[in-house]
């Protein structure tokens, strides 16, 4: 029996609503849809749970909003949180919150490119829980060898890593990375302070390694 005055979209089942919301590219629109009613809020949650890729490129995000969205994305494989031209406010505290999300152990790709509020504190907490990671971009962050040692111990499937302008990493961290990440194919060390002759030692450990300068 039809409910008088009920909108057509309100008659749709949750599964179909979730599919519609999964097509949204605006997080603002998703937030607004979530506030319409309980049914729509559940539809938004289920749409996030279906996503395998989540990119915040071009959005002004903070720790709270980012962590909240990632926590609902149970099946996430790829997480992209790059620097925004409007000023992304993600910090170590945000990464620590994200690290406890259910999806973290299944992530295969993470990008934190250009996030100047990120240090070893956040990266170590997050990466220590990512056992499936293949691609990592921490270029432009303020990590040190401490993060590289954790990456080396936690990411046996790592294939590529971008350390663009990570000026506090040294050859010790890179050697640990290449020694333990046996599947690694490419390292971007442009803008680091690692001497070129030290990079040659990496090729001794892995002759097929691509080192991007």
């Amino acid at each position: 029996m039809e409910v008088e005055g009920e909108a057509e979209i309100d008659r749709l089942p949750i599964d179909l609503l979730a599919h519609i919301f999964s097509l949204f590219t605006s997080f603002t629109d998703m937030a607004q849809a979530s506030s319409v009613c309980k049914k729509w809020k559940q539809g938004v949650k289920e749409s996030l749970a279906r996503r395998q890729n989540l990119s915040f490129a071009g959005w002004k995000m903070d720790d709270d909003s980012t962590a909240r969205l990632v926590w609902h994305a149970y099946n996430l494989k790829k997480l992209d949180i790059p620097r925004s031209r409007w000023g992304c406010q993600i910090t170590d505290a945000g990464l620590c919150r994200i690290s406890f999300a259910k999806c973290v152990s299944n992530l295969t790709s993470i990008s934190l490119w250009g996030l100047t509020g990120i240090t070893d504190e956040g990266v170590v907490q997050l990466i220590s829980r990512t056992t499936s990671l293949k691609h990592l971009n921490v270029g432009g962050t303020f990590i040190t060898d401490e993060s590289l040692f954790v990456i080396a111990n936690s990411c046996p499937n790592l294939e590529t890593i971008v350390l663009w302008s990570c000026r506090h990493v040294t050859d010790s961290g890179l050697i640990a990375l290449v020694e333990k990440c046996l599947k690694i194919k490419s390292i971007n060390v442009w803008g680091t302070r690692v001497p070129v002759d030290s990079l040659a030692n990496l090729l001794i450990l892995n002759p097929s390694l691509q080192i991007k300068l």
Side-chain angles (χ1 to χ4, degrees), residues 127-133 149-157:
I127 297 303
S128 63
R129 297 174 182 272
T130 57
T131 55
S132 303
L133 200 62
F149 293 145
V150 171
I151 294 168
N153 289 320
S154 304
C155 305
N157 298 310

Side-chain angles (χ1 to χ4, degrees), residues 18-88:
H19 174 71
I20 293 171
F21 294 143
S22 69
L23 302 176
F24 283 18
T25 57
S26 166
F27 295 114
T28 302
D29 291 344
M30 290 180 68
Q32 291 175 343
S34 184
S35 65
V36 170
C37 63
K38 289 184 178 180
K39 187 175 182 180
W40 281 35
K41 184 176 183 179
Q42 184 61 32
V44 169
K45 284 185 177 181
E46 291 194 16
S47 74
L48 283 168
R50 297 178 181 185
R51 291 193 180 216
Q52 293 195 344
N53 300 330
L54 198 56
S55 175
F56 298 105
W59 293 94
K60 185 176 181 179
M61 305 296 293
D62 58 23
D63 290 336
D64 182 63
S65 57
T66 303
R68 187 166 59 248
L69 288 168
V70 174
W71 268 68
H72 288 302
Y74 304 130
N75 293 304
L76 200 62
K77 299 289 186 182
K78 181 178 180 181
L79 178 61
D80 185 20
I81 317 177
R83 179 181 61 191
S84 166
R85 58 182 172 179
W86 291 284
C88 189

Side-chain angles (χ1 to χ4, degrees), residues 1-12 39:
M1 181 177 179
E2 291 188 8
V3 178
E4 187 176 351
E6 185 180 33
E8 290 291 335
I9 194 170
D10 290 330
R11 300 172 190 166
L12 297 178
K39 187 175 182 180

Side-chain angles (χ1 to χ4, degrees), residues 77-136:
K77 299 289 186 182
K78 181 178 180 181
L79 178 61
D80 185 20
I81 317 177
R83 179 181 61 191
S84 166
R85 58 182 172 179
W86 291 284
C88 189
Q89 302 298 318
I90 305 301
T91 67
D92 288 330
L95 292 189
C96 288
R97 290 180 60 184
I98 290 172
S99 71
F100 291 102
K102 291 182 179 180
C103 65
V104 167
S105 62
N106 295 320
L107 288 175
T108 59
S109 177
I110 297 175
S111 176
L112 306 172
W113 184 84
L115 297 181
T116 55
I118 298 301
T119 67
D120 289 325
E121 180 183 353
V123 172
V124 166
Q125 176 70 23
L126 178 61
I127 297 303
S128 63
R129 297 174 182 272
T130 57
T131 55
S132 303
L133 200 62
K134 293 183 178 181
H135 309 285
L136 177 63

